[in-house]
Amino acid sequence: MSVRWTYAFLDLPASAVGRTGEFWTAVTGTRLSEPSGEHGEFVTLSADGADACVGLQRVGSGPGGAHLDFSVDDVPAFAAHASRVGAETVAEHEGWTVLRSSAGQLFCAVPWHGESARPPVVHGSRFDQVCLDLPPSGFDAEVAFWSALLPDWGSTPGSRPEFHVLAPPAGLPVRILLQRLEEDRPVSAHPDLACADIAAARARHERLGAVVTAAFDHWTVMRDPAGGTYCLTGRDPETGGLPRPSDRRG
């Protein structure tokens, strides 16, 4: 029942898919796969010599966001485990299942197809984390839920009181950061990139059409050309961790 691979999916209105795909393939040095899914709603960002771990999903309604897919050997067993620790089953498809966490974050259990090679670091950064933005009232329960769902992941407090990190076993490409917000609002999620040099990454992303919406000591909040929020964070792009003990984000 261990997770064998992870995907970070950006959930996008149809009008945003083209611009988002162009931006993120340029940022990550990848190309878009052929569409898949019953309605052609899925594409992944593919790199030569590596397995995809980031994808785009066209959604029919809502503002979009991000979610995680967990690739496993036994989807029904993983879904049953998720239900035991507090998840709700949202939909069952042929071969894969959509679930919802205790705070309302969607995620999927999908079959593992042998993925094992992480995409490389590109221009000093790597798309490697999904951050769940949580209301204060649901933060502790969500930490407990994800820690129980993923018992073989490292579950530790982050560098600041409002952060909690779930670091996957070696070789898996996507980490989870839980962030406690200051206000009560529905859970949402956004991607984070680990950057060796935030200023250099920011300049490159701005040249590709992104804009800065907020800057802090150790992370910068960006908006991609289609309006999606993401962060550039001061972490080691090889390991995903902080380069040294400090108060840096994550």
Side-chain angles (χ1 to χ4, degrees), residues 51-75:
D51 293 308
C53 63
V54 176
L56 312 178
Q57 178 177 353
R58 188 180 70 245
V59 296
S61 62
H67 75 271
L68 289 142
D69 277 11
F70 297 102
S71 299
V72 296
D73 290 317
D74 188 331
V75 169

Side-chain angles (χ1 to χ4, degrees), residues 42-53:
F42 302 112
V43 293
T44 57
L45 307 187
S46 301
D48 292 336
D51 293 308
C53 63

Side-chain angles (χ1 to χ4, degrees), residues 6 25 28 40 48 53 55 86 94 100 113 184 206 224 233:
T6 44
T25 52
T28 58
D48 292 336
C53 63
E94 185 175 354
R100 182 182 289 119
H113 295 296
D184 269 312
E206 288 179 311
D224 70 31
T233 68

Side-chain angles (χ1 to χ4, degrees), residues 198-211:
I198 291 177
R202 167 181 169 171
R204 182 167 183 270
H205 286 221
E206 288 179 311
R207 289 195 296 271
L208 292 169
V211 296

Side-chain angles (χ1 to χ4, degrees), residues 230-248:
Y230 67 99
C231 291
L232 305 174
T233 68
R235 294 180 292 111
D236 185 332
E238 290 291 350
T239 68
L242 298 174
R244 65 179 187 275
S246 71
D247 64 346
R248 294 188 181 184

Side-chain angles (χ1 to χ4, degrees), residues 101-216:
S101 76
S102 56
Q105 173 63 39
L106 295 175
F107 63 99
C108 297
V110 301
W112 181 54
H113 295 296
E115 302 97 325
S116 62
R118 296 178 72 191
V121 174
V122 175
H123 297 289
S125 68
R126 175 180 261 155
F127 187 137
D128 74 334
Q129 184 166 269
V130 171
C131 178
L132 308 186
D133 300 308
L134 299 161
S137 59
F139 182 76
D140 290 342
E142 198 75 348
V143 168
F145 168 78
W146 289 99
S147 300
L149 179 71
L150 304 166
D152 54 346
W153 291 37
S155 177
T156 59
S159 58
R160 297 166 63 97
E162 65 268 31
F163 298 140
H164 192 94
V165 176
L166 284 105
L172 294 185
V174 182
R175 297 161 32 113
I176 302 172
L177 177 65
L178 307 179
Q179 177 173 237
R180 185 179 65 244
L181 303 176
E182 295 183 354
E183 73 276 7
D184 269 312
R185 62 173 175 80
V187 63
S188 60
H190 68 266
D192 288 345
L193 281 73
C195 302
D197 183 332
I198 291 177
R202 167 181 169 171
R204 182 167 183 270
H205 286 221
E206 288 179 311
R207 289 195 296 271
L208 292 169
V211 296
V212 174
T213 63
F216 303 92

